[in-house]
Amino acid sequence: MSRDRKEERTGFQESAPYHPDYDLQTDFVMVYGIDESMPERIKQWKDKDILCIS
């Protein structure tokens, strides 16, 4: 689902890669868990047009 996300007001933290069950339709996601999979997890969220903060 595409949304107008001009202002980042709501977000959540997630250590898992993107999955529709985790997409809470917030404005951003804070990806945590520093390991070799972090760049791919960030990419998966960004590919869904969700702002990522790591």
Side-chain angles (χ1 to χ4, degrees):
M1 173 189 295
S2 180
R3 293 184 31 185
D4 182 16
R5 295 182 171 158
K6 292 179 183 173
E7 296 182 22
E8 295 82 35
R9 294 182 181 215
T10 61
F12 70 105
Q13 296 181 36
E14 183 57 62
S15 64
Y18 176 84
H19 189 277
D21 290 347
Y22 310 140
D23 187 352
L24 304 176
Q25 295 300 305
T26 58
D27 300 314
F28 63 91
V29 62
M30 294 171 276
V31 177
Y32 71 90
I34 299 173
D35 63 16
E36 65 279 346
S37 71
M38 189 175 199
E40 179 60 25
R41 289 183 283 130
I42 291 171
K43 180 184 179 309
Q44 289 179 13
W45 285 100
K46 285 183 175 180
D47 286 350
K48 298 298 179 183
D49 292 326
I50 300 172
L51 178 64
C52 290
I53 300 170
S54 55

